[in-house]
């Protein structure tokens, strides 16, 4: 198994895969939010993939955000998207969400992916 690296993310936390991989993966790790805690995840220059491994919570649009399918109306969803074990969220370039942990807290695997620059004029990628 030459070149193979095994990392226990529960013991080590986040890992920089750029030391081993040449692809777009820029960061991986397990993240934890204590009960009731909130964090904003913004896809500014990168994209994010999140997978809930334990606990529960909500994913909501940030305050004042505009829903991409209804740009003329600010989206104010009352409940947000429920997060439970096994839920996956992908945040494409330019999007953002606020994660709020439920009463048991929230644990999720978080991958950050680089977005290559686009050669097309006007395309944010």
């Amino acid at each position: 198994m030459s070149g193979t690296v095994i990392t226990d993310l529960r013991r080590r936390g986040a890992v920089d895969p750029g030391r081993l991989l040449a692809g777009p993966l820029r960061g991986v790790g397990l993240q934890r939010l204590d009960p009731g805690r909130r964090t904003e995840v913004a896809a500014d220059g990168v994209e994010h993939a999140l997978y809930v491994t334990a606990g529960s919570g909500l994913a909501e649009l940030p305050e004042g955000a505009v829903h991409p399918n209804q740009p003329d109306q600010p989206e104010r969803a009352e409940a947000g998207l429920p997060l439970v074990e096994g839920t996956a969220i992908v945040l494409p370039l330019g999007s953002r969400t606020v994660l709020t942990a439920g009463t048991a807290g929230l644990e999720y695997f978080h991958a950050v992916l680089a977005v290559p620059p686009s050669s097309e004029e006007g395309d944010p990628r």
Side-chain angles (χ1 to χ4, degrees), residues 41-50 61 68-69 88-97 110-115 123-125:
V41 180
D44 296 330
V46 294
E47 294 182 329
H48 298 272
L50 308 162
L61 289 173
N69 295 331
I89 300 173
V90 176
L91 296 173
L93 189 64
S95 63
R96 50 190 355 99
T97 191
H110 186 177
V112 180
L113 300 120
V115 178
D123 184 353
R125 291 182 189 219

Side-chain angles (χ1 to χ4, degrees), residues 49-93:
L50 308 162
Y51 181 80
V52 178
T53 55
S56 65
L58 291 174
E60 302 171 280
L61 289 173
E63 189 71 33
V66 176
H67 192 286
N69 295 331
Q70 301 169 354
D72 57 335
Q73 297 178 358
E75 177 72 21
R76 292 307 330 142
E78 293 299 319
L81 172 70
L83 301 174
V84 296
E85 186 175 330
T87 303
I89 300 173
V90 176
L91 296 173
L93 189 64

Side-chain angles (χ1 to χ4, degrees), residues 5 7-8 11 20 24 28 33-34 36-37 41 47 52 62 67 70 72-73 79 86 88 95 109 114 118 122-123:
V5 175
T7 302
D8 182 351
R11 291 189 63 200
L20 303 169
V28 295
L33 285 177
D34 290 331
R37 300 283 297 187
V41 180
E47 294 182 329
V52 178
H67 192 286
Q70 301 169 354
D72 57 335
Q73 297 178 358
S95 63
F109 176 80
S118 174
D123 184 353

